[in-house]
Structures are given as C-alpha cells and as structure tokens.
Amino acid sequence: QVHLVESGGGLGQPGGSLRLSCAASGVNFRNYGMRWYRQAPGKERELVAFISSDGDTRNYADYVKGRFTISRDNAKNMLYLQMMNLMPEDTAVYYCNTVSIWGRGTQLTVSS
C-alpha cells in the first residue's frame, strides 16, 4: 500500500524559512516525478513545484519561484520543499503527490 506522509509544517515567521518533508512508502519512489501542492483556506488546491524522478528537472509556480526549492533523496524515499522568505500568503495546507496518490498534508501558517 502506498503512503505519502508530510511533515515539517507549523508556524513560520514572515521572511523566515522552513523545510517540509514527505516520506514515501510502498512505491518505487525513484521511478516517479513528485509534486508539492498547497491549498489555502477558501481556495482551490494549486501546484507549487514539480521534480522529475531523477531530480534533474524542477519546475515552480511563479509565486514561489526564487523562494522555494524542491528536492528529493531517492535513497531515502524522501521529498523536500525548502521554503525561504515566507509570506503570509504562503499559509496553506501543503500536500505531496505522485500520480493519483496524496498525503494528508501539513499545515503551514505564516504569521508574526
């Protein structure tokens, strides 16, 4: 059974940094591209970043470009999202995803 479990959310300060993690199990992780999505209150879920199976290709939504970095460790079945220069607009539940599989999400709140 495939599981994706996000962690690392919490309270972030404006201008601060935080790293989200996603642990994958039950899947041949290194074969799949991975994505981070987020959903803010009252808004639709939106794509934040994508990384290819080998990590060579990374794409970002315009609103996080230059601030967020997606990465992966295929040896550990882990996906990461390093977030810098946090803004209140980044407040959302963050989900990792591959094909049709979703984690339960981790809440990030950016507030002073």
Side-chain angles (χ1 to χ4, degrees):
Q1 196 165 4
V2 180
H3 290 287
L4 298 174
V5 180
E6 302 92 340
S7 61
L11 180 62
Q13 298 288 323
S17 300
L18 213 61
R19 188 178 80 159
L20 304 182
S21 300
C22 172
S25 60
V27 63
N28 200 345
F29 181 75
R30 65 181 65 247
N31 286 352
Y32 294 94
M34 298 292 298
R35 292 170 175 81
W36 283 102
Y37 283 80
R38 71 185 186 186
Q39 187 166 19
K43 295 189 176 181
E44 304 226 335
R45 194 171 296 188
E46 58 187 13
L47 179 64
V48 175
F50 163 80
I51 187 167
S52 60
S53 58
D54 59 6
D56 284 350
T57 300
R58 309 180 196 201
N59 301 121
Y60 299 92
D62 286 344
Y63 40 81
V64 303
K65 204 172 289 185
R67 300 189 299 120
F68 290 11
T69 302
I70 189 171
S71 63
R72 65 191 295 159
D73 185 336
N74 284 346
K76 296 181 179 179
N77 285 4
M78 294 294 296
L79 176 72
Y80 304 102
L81 186 68
Q82 179 67 49
M83 304 180 292
M84 298 187 300
N85 193 18
L86 288 169
M87 301 177 180
E89 306 88 276
D90 296 321
T91 295
V93 179
Y94 285 74
Y95 300 89
C96 64
N97 160 264
T98 184
V99 289
S100 61
I101 303 162
W102 295 87
R104 292 188 175 185
T106 185
Q107 172 72 49
L108 169 68
T109 301
V110 182
S111 174
S112 55

